[in-house]
Amino acid sequence: MMTKATTLAKLRERPVTPGQHLIDGAWTDSVDGSTKEVISPIDGKVLTRIATGGEKDVDLAVRAARRSFESGAWSLMSPANRKNVLTRLADLIDLHKEELAVLGVRDNGTEFKMALKAEPGSAAGSFRYYGEAVDKIYGQIAPTAEESIGLISREPVGVVGAIVPWNFPLMIAAWKIAPALAAGNSVVLKPAQSASLSLLQLARLAMEAGIPKGVLNVVTGSGSVVGEALGVHPDVDVLAFTGSGVVGRRLLNYAAQSNLKRVHLELGGKSPNIVFADAPDIEAAVATAINGIFRNSGQVCTAGSRLLVQETIYEEFLEKVISGAEQLVVGDPLDAATDIGAVHTLDQLKNNLAYVETATAEGAVLRTGGKRIHESSGGYYMEPTIFSGVRPDMRIAQEEVFGPVLAVTSFTDEQEAIELANSTSYGLAAAVWTGDLSRAHRMIRRIKAGLIHVNCYGGSDITVPLGGMKQSGSGHDKSLLALDKYTEIKTAWISLNDGTN
Ligand code: NAP
Ligand code: MG
């Protein structure tokens, strides 16, 4: 159902209550009282303020999480009852989906059309999926000899620290919180400080759904303070992270310095979208190449930021992609006519523009875009930008921009396509467009990436895992495999000997 323009107009003007931490079931200010302005990328104006936590706030939240875990109020609740609470939360998210989506868009700038589906839509789906799953998963009995029995069971790990980014805060947080809670853990969540608001709202709904106090805690504030405090805390058992490789490395260090907590990293990508001349539907490949890089202004971890096109169709294909990109409407993310919303922050925009300069200096050809637009709105908007003639040694081919910038390269044959595809330190996603079934399977086998699309890009659902190879990370979000991150495996070896031999 389409959201009415009047609903959007009302929600976008709604005053936003200042954000506090949720610790042990209570909304609290930081121990030292500090707060920070929240700026909207739509117009550069102040939306509200949020609490900026410190070490003490993190410690209070971790203690509350530990107490709730040890109390068994959630960890020992029957799976069927945990299911009821989590599916009730899914229903509440659905009920408030427009409010959640608009609040999130005012905070992070994603075009509303996409945010509605990707944010509350995915979050509700995750809570429902893991809630439904939790009373359907069994342990195992090992094939031992007659005199023994080996029971293999799963237990919750304990206290999970979840650190998430700003690009899809609700979706990514739900990919972590939902399986962690379903498995019986307690959680301390640290949102990105530039996109905390919809997650505070989610926490409110979680309380309403009946998550016991202390089981879900949220501490807002900066990565370098709140994130680090969570990372080095001796009583956090697991860190589940989505973000950049730079911060991912820090988390591994925090774990090494402290209690060897498990660290699961979902990092960035420089994903190749590979189009062979025998693609079954060239027009679909064009439209998908455009959407695959420009949605959410390129701020998508799996964005198809490298377009590799077979030489024989290269110029013709590229022209179509350029003309499609030039037709995209960039603007106010809450306007129904908008295709692409705002870049998340001024810093991110400057970073994108710096990559335009570097790519040009390195000899890539700027075919369209490259500039900031709508500056008078006060917001952060950038034209969809396309570079052709990109060589694999250029920074634009190797480094994640995390902006609306597409790097296009041609290849001659399958072998070269594979070499180009695998020529970065990342291995998150890829796509292959071909009508040749055997070629598609060869590419699936030889491309080093956690997610390979064939004749499509994006849109994989909760039933399949998402995780990176190489420097795109370790561990998986989504699917039943995600439960591995939040459970311990325990073996019980039992003697059946009756003492007669
Ligand atoms: P980021 O800078 O790594 O930040 C991610 C989170 O880490 C934020 O909550 C941030 O807090 C926190 N953080 C920053 N410094 C920290 C520190 N020293 N210790 C602990 N935590 C710290 O990444 P981002 O720029 O927000 O997000 C973009 C990146 O995420 C891209 O690389 C993208 O590819 C990746 N990503 C990956 C996936 C995936 O599933 N693989 C999905 C989406 C995004 P503050 O921001 O509040 O300071
Ligand atoms: Mg923000």
Side-chain angles (χ1 to χ4, degrees):
M1 204 180 68
M2 285 269 291
T3 304
K4 287 202 199 96
T6 48
T7 309
L8 280 183
K10 211 157 60 189
L11 286 173
R12 73 177 298 158
E13 296 303 333
R14 197 184 261 188
V16 184
T17 320
Q20 293 176 294
H21 311 297
L22 176 64
I23 299 176
D24 208 11
W27 294 99
T28 53
D29 292 328
S30 296
V31 170
D32 69 3
S34 58
T35 63
K36 185 180 191 291
E37 279 180 347
V38 176
I39 309 281
S40 175
I42 298 179
D43 53 12
K45 293 200 180 113
V46 177
L47 257 184
T48 186
R49 302 188 71 86
I50 51 163
T52 47
E55 232 175 277
K56 286 188 183 144
D57 304 291
V58 170
D59 189 51
L60 288 170
V62 173
R63 283 168 192 268
R66 177 62 61 190
R67 269 197 312 278
S68 72
F69 183 73
E70 296 300 337
S71 80
W74 180 254
S75 53
L76 300 180
M77 186 186 275
S78 74
N81 286 341
R82 284 207 300 267
K83 170 178 76 179
N84 291 339
V85 175
L86 293 173
T87 52
R88 202 177 307 139
L89 175 54
D91 292 344
L92 284 171
I93 295 169
D94 276 338
L95 196 66
H96 294 273
K97 63 179 185 214
E98 283 165 337
E99 192 186 315
L100 282 163
V102 172
L103 184 62
V105 168
R106 291 170 77 190
D107 204 1
N108 86 340
T110 305
E111 51 279 3
F112 178 76
K113 272 185 272 195
M114 170 155 199
L116 185 65
K117 191 161 164 259
E119 284 279 275
S122 299
S126 293
F127 283 102
R128 196 164 285 122
Y129 177 84
Y130 291 105
E132 288 288 355
V134 70
D135 65 350
K136 298 169 189 70
I137 296 169
Y138 295 76
Q140 294 177 324
I141 299 175
T144 55
E146 241 343 84
E147 65 272 18
S148 311
I149 186 162
L151 299 182
I152 305 163
S153 55
R154 281 178 187 269
E155 294 181 353
V157 187
V159 175
V160 173
I163 303 179
V164 299
W166 44 260
N167 56 338
F168 292 101
L170 279 179
M171 173 174 84
I172 293 171
W175 285 347
K176 301 183 191 309
I177 301 170
L181 291 178
N185 298 281
S186 290
V187 173
V188 179
L189 171 69
K190 191 215 101 56
Q193 60 183 340
S194 54
S196 301
L197 300 176
S198 57
L199 284 172
L200 293 172
Q201 194 62 21
L202 175 76
R204 227 164 249 131
L205 298 177
M207 296 293 99
E208 194 181 327
I211 303 269
K213 72 179 176 112
V215 172
L216 175 62
N217 306 274
V218 185
V219 181
T220 53
S222 78
S224 55
V225 178
V226 175
E228 175 166 346
L230 204 50
V232 299
H233 200 291
D235 210 23
V236 170
D237 300 301
V238 177
L239 275 182
F241 175 73
T242 294
S244 62
V246 174
V247 176
R249 279 169 209 272
R250 292 217 174 104
L251 299 192
L252 292 171
N253 273 326
Y254 299 154
Q257 284 161 31
S258 56
N259 60 343
L260 289 177
K261 54 180 68 69
R262 288 116 216 253
V263 180
H264 303 295
L265 304 175
E266 304 287 335
L267 308 175
K270 191 78 201 180
S271 301
N273 182 12
I274 306 164
V275 184
F276 285 93
D278 67 359
D281 183 346
I282 290 286
E283 297 310 318
V286 168
T288 312
I290 295 167
N291 190 42
I293 176 64
F294 296 123
R295 66 203 158 121
N296 201 10
S297 299
Q299 303 165 141
V300 179
C301 57
T302 55
S305 53
R306 288 188 294 147
L307 176 62
L308 310 181
V309 187
Q310 197 159 21
E311 205 176 44
T312 48
I313 57 164
Y314 182 76
E315 264 311 322
E316 184 194 344
F317 192 88
L318 182 55
E319 287 301 334
K320 288 183 177 171
V321 173
I322 292 168
S323 111
E326 286 172 346
Q327 282 159 36
L328 292 172
V329 180
V330 180
D332 186 329
L334 292 170
D335 188 331
T338 293
D339 296 310
I340 309 292
V343 172
H344 180 55
T345 58
L346 191 55
D347 280 348
Q348 182 67 47
L349 177 61
K350 286 181 183 160
N351 188 53
N352 298 345
L353 297 172
Y355 270 109
V356 172
E357 278 185 32
T358 314
T360 309
E362 286 185 321
V365 185
L366 179 62
R367 301 291 290 262
T368 187
K371 291 189 297 295
R372 179 178 183 177
I373 47 175
H374 309 322
E375 198 169 340
S376 63
S377 69
Y380 318 133
Y381 300 91
M382 181 167 169
E383 294 171 322
T385 299
I386 299 177
F387 282 98
S388 67
V390 173
R391 292 188 318 267
D393 61 300
M394 293 178 178
R395 284 183 57 193
I396 198 80
Q398 292 295 325
E399 298 174 20
E400 183 182 46
V401 178
F402 223 56
V405 181
L406 179 64
V408 192
T409 304
S410 74
F411 66 86
T412 50
D413 57 14
E414 203 174 299
Q415 183 54 33
E416 192 185 8
I418 292 164
E419 281 165 20
L420 284 170
N422 290 335
S423 69
T424 77
S425 61
Y426 291 112
L428 190 56
V432 180
W433 295 80
T434 178
D436 177 339
L437 183 65
S438 303
R439 167 181 279 162
H441 280 288
R442 286 193 298 273
M443 299 295 282
I444 291 170
R445 285 189 181 181
R446 296 186 60 193
I447 293 175
K448 281 281 199 193
L451 169 63
I452 305 201
H453 305 86
V454 176
N455 297 330
C456 63
Y457 205 107
S460 76
D461 69 16
I462 187 77
T463 64
V464 291
L466 174 64
M469 293 187 182
K470 294 156 77 181
Q471 291 185 35
S472 289
S474 57
H476 294 89
D477 280 335
K478 300 168 61 200
S479 85
L480 294 182
L481 292 170
L483 290 164
D484 292 351
K485 302 201 293 194
Y486 308 108
T487 48
E488 301 270 25
I489 286 181
K490 181 174 276 177
T491 297
W493 185 259
I494 304 164
S495 168
L496 299 186
N497 204 325
D498 64 3
T500 57
N501 55 23

